[in-house]
Amino acid sequence: MKSIVEELKYLTSIPALSGMEDNMVREMAARFKSLTDDVEIDRLGNVIATFKGKDEKEPSMLVFAHVDELGLMIKKVEKNGYLRFDRIGGVPEKTLMGQFLDIHSIDGKSHVVGIVGTYAHHLTPAEAKLTVPTTDKMYIDIGANSDAEVKAKGIDIGSAVTYHHHFEQIGEHLITSKTLDNRIGCLMLIALAEHLKQNPPAGTVYVVASTQEEFNIRGVLPVFYKLEPDASICVDITIACDTPDLNYKYDMSLGKGPAVTQMNFHGRGTLAGIIPNPPLRLFIEKTLDDLKIPWQRDIVLGVITDDAFTVVAGTQGTAMAHFAVPMRYSHSPIETADVRDIEAAIKALNTIVGKFDHKLDLRRGV
């Protein structure tokens, strides 16, 4: 594996709109196939790399991270060449106007750069100066003058739209880009697979690059029903609240290490969240302490990830934990993370999975 910065600059450049993740599916499959002969891609695009354990009697572990990104889909091509769109996943309206986007051809083999139009400042109506319009009022400009010109570029209703890639290092330790959520997790899977190649685990470990998290949060479910692992760790990002606007709403910062989730929840009704398996969570926390890696306790309302549903998959459910890297400006094209947190998370995850065996009692109520 190259450096964290080099790898993430590359991984974040790969377009993979939720439900159309084939570019990242190919990438992750190729990475895994260089490390294990047992790689499978299911019908949803989930990539499953299996690393056989030393003893088949040892418990199995599944570690997963989603490869897809949020974005837009073209819903209408206007006669004058402007494009209308709907959201795929939680794209915040406030980040869109004046933004560069990549609009992909229907066959996914090419793209053009477009912009989301915004009012000319000098002619902005008073009522629009302090508001963010809804997406049905927005449009994309690709420099076309007619619908025929748009369609000649291979773009039509159903075309995928992703943030235009722009990767930067800022300050001494920070990186900023689109899709750090969850290409950070993808990088951690690649590092884990490399580690398992050289250090066979006690029991079988499944390393899974999953799909459709940003759209319906359930894309990885078939993997859990098929494999029914004894335990699982979901790898993703969490929300850093060390900016002036959030003002430490939750005690989560960049540069203070990875985060062990205590609870997350969508925040409405019973739409779901995750409360991790206590013995597995404590095992992760003790491993971090033993490694002398600083870490943070993560509780966030308003966040939901795919382990909210996989925890109850199968005939007995799964002992689930959630391991995360703090990140600022979620779901925007300027997501920002600290390389030191990512480096620590990689080291920790490799050790956690390497130490996992039958000596950890995951039973409840004992």
Side-chain angles (χ1 to χ4, degrees):
M1 190 175 76
K2 298 178 182 178
S3 73
I4 288 172
V5 172
E6 288 178 297
E7 286 281 14
L8 284 174
K9 184 175 184 179
Y10 171 67
L11 290 172
T12 55
S13 74
I14 301 172
L17 183 63
S18 196
M20 303 179 183
E21 304 96 341
D22 297 270
N23 293 320
M24 275 300 292
V25 170
R26 283 191 294 270
E27 178 67 25
M28 297 302 288
R31 295 294 191 101
F32 292 157
K33 285 177 181 177
S34 69
L35 302 167
T36 175
D37 294 329
D38 195 344
V39 178
E40 176 187 355
I41 303 173
D42 73 10
R43 292 172 183 166
L44 292 183
N46 295 302
V47 185
I48 307 163
T50 301
F51 293 84
K52 292 292 186 182
K54 300 172 186 176
D55 187 345
E56 63 181 16
K57 294 180 182 179
E58 290 283 350
S60 60
M61 166 72 78
L62 191 156
V63 183
F64 68 109
H66 71 88
V67 304
D68 59 312
E69 65 188 285
L70 49 78
L72 312 168
M73 182 176 283
I74 299 303
K75 68 176 182 181
K76 185 178 182 181
V77 180
E78 301 280 8
K79 294 294 185 184
N80 56 9
Y82 292 105
L83 309 177
R84 302 288 185 171
F85 57 85
D86 277 325
R87 300 186 304 163
I88 301 290
V91 178
E93 290 88 344
K94 65 183 181 296
T95 69
L96 284 174
M97 295 186 74
Q99 187 61 245
F100 286 102
L101 302 172
D102 290 341
I103 300 88
H104 301 270
S105 60
I106 287 292
D107 62 11
K109 295 180 179 180
S110 64
H111 76 274
V112 301
V113 176
I115 51 177
V116 181
T118 182
Y119 273 116
H121 173 70
H122 303 80
L123 300 180
T124 304
E127 66 273 13
K129 286 184 177 180
L130 301 177
T131 61
V132 176
T134 53
T135 54
D136 62 302
K137 302 292 194 302
M138 298 182 191
Y139 58 88
I140 298 171
D141 182 353
I142 64 169
N145 294 310
S146 67
D147 55 350
E149 190 176 343
V150 171
K151 293 177 182 180
K153 299 177 185 293
I155 295 167
D156 208 334
I157 294 169
S159 281
V161 182
T162 53
Y163 289 136
H164 186 65
H165 185 243
H166 186 78
F167 186 99
E168 291 288 345
Q169 293 179 259
I170 59 174
E172 188 175 355
H173 301 292
L174 305 189
I175 54 174
T176 184
S177 175
K178 77 176 184 75
T179 61
L180 289 179
D181 172 11
N182 190 28
R183 304 301 161 77
I184 289 174
C186 295
L187 178 63
M188 291 173 65
L189 293 189
I190 293 167
L192 175 60
E194 290 178 348
H195 176 78
L196 293 172
K197 170 72 172 178
Q198 301 299 324
N199 304 274
T204 296
V205 175
Y206 306 104
V207 181
V208 178
S210 62
T211 60
Q212 294 197 34
E213 192 270 353
E214 297 291 4
F215 181 60
N216 64 23
I217 326 176
R218 300 171 180 86
V220 75
L221 267 176
V223 176
F224 277 79
Y225 281 108
K226 176 181 179 178
L227 300 177
E228 292 202 275
D230 295 299
S232 180
I233 299 174
C234 178
V235 181
D236 211 321
I237 60 88
T238 190
I239 310 304
C241 296
D242 55 352
T243 52
D245 49 346
L246 293 178
N247 193 27
Y248 291 96
K249 179 176 182 178
Y250 294 102
D251 193 10
M252 188 67 56
S253 301
L254 299 190
K256 293 186 177 181
V260 181
T261 296
Q262 314 293 308
M263 181 267 283
N264 67 36
F265 180 62
H266 190 275
R268 295 198 303 270
T270 56
L271 191 54
I274 178 72
I275 298 175
N277 173 275
L280 182 57
R281 175 181 56 78
L282 291 169
F283 168 71
I284 291 172
E285 292 171 0
K286 183 178 186 305
T287 303
L288 286 159
D289 287 338
D290 290 345
L291 290 169
K292 295 182 169 49
I293 292 177
W295 58 278
Q296 306 178 73
R297 295 181 181 274
D298 178 25
I299 294 179
V300 182
L301 296 183
V303 169
I304 184 173
T305 50
D306 30 11
D307 50 8
F309 298 98
T310 53
V311 68
V312 294
T315 58
Q316 300 184 67
T318 304
M320 183 71 69
H322 190 98
F323 192 52
V325 171
M327 187 189 76
R328 295 175 185 160
Y329 319 126
S330 62
H331 286 196
S332 79
I334 55 164
E335 294 176 332
T336 301
D338 192 309
V339 173
R340 296 171 298 179
D341 295 335
I342 301 168
E343 183 178 25
I346 288 172
K347 179 181 179 181
L349 183 65
N350 290 351
T351 305
I352 290 161
V353 175
K355 290 179 65 177
F356 178 77
D357 61 19
H358 72 277
K359 293 189 288 292
L360 176 58
D361 190 349
L362 296 173
R363 293 175 299 166
R364 302 295 303 276
V366 296

